[in-house]
Amino acid sequence: MGSVLLQSGTPTPTGTANASAANASAGGPVTTLPETISGALGLSGTLGDVVGGLIGAFLIANIMLGMTALAGPWAKRKITAAFTDRIAVNRVGPFGLLIIVADAVRLLSKELIVPDGVDRPAWDLAPIILPFSALLGFAVIPLGSGLQLADPETGIVFAFAAASIASLGLVMAGYASNNKYSLLGSLRSIAQNLAYEIPLVLTAASVILFAGTFRTSEIVAAQTETLVTIAGIAIPGWYAFVNPFAFVLFLAANMAEIGRNPFDIPEAPTEIVAGYQTEYSSVYFVLFYLGEFIHIFLGGALIAVLFLGGPAGPVLPGFVWMVIKMWAFFLFTQWCRSAVPRVRIDQLIEIGWKGMLVLSLANLVLTAVLVGVIA
């Protein structure tokens, strides 16, 4: 692996990073979850790949759906209530946790209202595309403890490409709804994604220059080096410490991509009702919010992989650390939702094209120069 080491010496693991990351650091093959499953079942060849892939995908998808079910109906309310000095749900089950079941029954049992003049099947496909694109992105994310579906050479590129499919669903929802507010919301979504996806990818490219690879497992492994030792405490070489400016840029652009405050203007209720999802109800409404929260966790996973050492961390298993980092990002989004005011659409676009783009290009050039000098 062509990673750039900032400090010479023997690599020092930051904690219990999984065996796959260790193999990647050594240049060896990474054992993916489907390979582990097919080996445990005694299957080989195409049949083993198919069975292992299906079981592995089912497992990863259910982990993410379980986290989303906890985050949407329950954690979001509890966190927002804590920020605004309220109580939130506490009557339905212990700690209000059964609100998850209650909300699921309530929303799924509602009538699916199809407005006149909608363009089907585009109207039906739009809410399916959003959660699908987010779940597809997790196919290449190393969750730790051997939980990684695939590890292609262009893994991080695949993750960004999969996440960007959501833009297609937003356009389809707005156009097919035969509603002016929905169309406005979808157009705002595309304008926002164009303005912030370019800085997002450019900032990620600066990390790739440091790591020397597009493979997600190797990007994680490149951060197992010790950056500096202070008073006997080893500071890991996470790229958030190596290049904090890039970390802040990526965090801001990521907030715009997932549509959280102050960048939630495509569905601003004070201006365009609910934007692209105005005409959706019942199970389709659930799918939209499911996709939104899975994308939040995918954004947290990308931040963890690119800047926070992925599943690396002391004492606890790698998977636990990865979950902690994704939930930390979710907590940050909810804090922004409660504390940061929404910007106008013209301000949002201006920040993206005139601010974030210029800063991300400057960061990429400076990183290239720095890597060239060190190399």
Side-chain angles (χ1 to χ4, degrees):
M1 183 185 64
S3 61
V4 179
L5 304 183
L6 299 182
Q7 178 175 325
S8 61
T10 305
T12 303
T14 59
T16 56
N18 57 57
S20 297
N23 288 337
S25 181
V30 173
T31 303
T32 60
L33 181 59
E35 292 172 343
T36 302
I37 293 173
S38 60
L41 296 177
L43 301 175
S44 60
T46 304
L47 178 62
D49 294 338
V50 172
V51 172
L54 289 175
I55 296 176
F58 179 80
L59 178 61
I60 298 296
N62 276 276
I63 290 173
M64 299 318 304
L65 291 174
M67 290 174 57
T68 304
L70 183 63
W74 184 79
K76 175 183 176 181
R77 289 170 170 157
K78 283 291 190 181
I79 295 169
T80 303
F83 281 125
T84 55
D85 197 22
R86 291 183 291 160
I87 297 176
V89 290
N90 65 346
R91 301 287 182 179
V92 188
F95 306 103
L97 282 169
L98 289 183
I99 193 66
I100 300 171
V101 179
D103 271 0
V105 173
R106 175 175 62 87
L107 291 170
L108 295 179
S109 61
K110 284 188 175 182
E111 179 185 1
L112 178 61
I113 300 174
V114 182
D116 291 334
V118 299
D119 186 0
R120 306 181 79 174
W123 189 79
D124 299 296
L125 289 175
I128 299 174
I129 291 176
L130 260 71
F132 170 78
S133 63
L135 289 173
L136 187 63
F138 275 100
V140 295
I141 298 296
L143 296 175
S145 305
L147 294 177
Q148 185 175 2
L149 278 179
D151 192 31
E153 292 184 0
T154 55
I156 198 66
V157 177
F158 177 88
F160 282 118
S164 66
I165 297 175
S167 299
L168 177 62
L170 300 180
V171 173
M172 291 170 63
Y175 170 79
S177 290
N178 192 29
N179 181 300
K180 294 179 181 178
Y181 293 116
S182 298
L183 182 60
L184 273 175
S186 65
L187 293 177
R188 285 181 172 189
S189 297
I190 293 304
Q192 178 171 315
N193 287 349
L194 285 174
Y196 287 89
E197 194 162 336
I198 297 173
L200 187 79
V201 173
L202 288 176
T203 308
S206 68
V207 171
I208 293 167
L209 286 176
F210 274 117
T213 179
F214 290 100
R215 196 186 296 268
T216 52
S217 63
E218 293 183 356
I219 294 174
V220 170
Q223 300 176 68
T224 60
E225 307 295 330
T226 298
L227 180 63
V228 66
T229 302
I230 302 176
I233 300 176
I235 306 298
W238 295 355
Y239 293 131
F241 299 142
V242 174
N243 190 352
F245 179 65
F247 174 67
V248 173
L249 280 178
F250 191 88
L251 182 63
N254 203 2
M255 292 292 289
E257 284 295 299
I258 63 176
R260 280 303 185 189
N261 289 51
F263 307 111
D264 64 336
I265 202 69
E267 50 181 300
T270 56
E271 300 179 28
I272 51 176
V273 190
Y276 53 85
Q277 58 188 349
T278 299
E279 297 293 354
Y280 287 91
S281 60
S282 187
V283 64
Y284 284 178
F285 178 82
V286 173
L287 287 173
F288 268 113
Y289 268 85
L290 184 69
E292 178 181 329
F293 279 90
I294 299 176
H295 270 281
I296 291 176
F297 284 117
L298 178 60
L302 288 172
I303 288 177
V305 168
L306 290 170
F307 291 97
L308 301 177
V315 183
L316 299 175
F319 174 71
V320 176
W321 274 112
M322 194 66 178
V323 170
I324 290 174
K325 292 171 185 178
M326 287 191 289
W327 274 94
F329 177 70
F330 174 76
L331 178 62
F332 177 75
T333 64
Q334 296 309 300
W335 173 76
C336 290
R337 184 175 181 270
S338 300
V340 181
R342 180 183 295 126
V343 297
R344 298 195 314 261
I345 182 63
D346 60 310
Q347 294 172 331
L348 183 145
I349 300 302
E350 187 172 356
I351 292 170
W353 287 112
K354 295 184 179 180
M356 296 289 294
L357 180 60
V358 174
L359 292 175
S360 60
L361 278 171
N363 170 71
L364 181 63
V365 172
L366 291 175
T367 303
V369 172
L370 178 62
V371 171
V373 170
I374 294 176

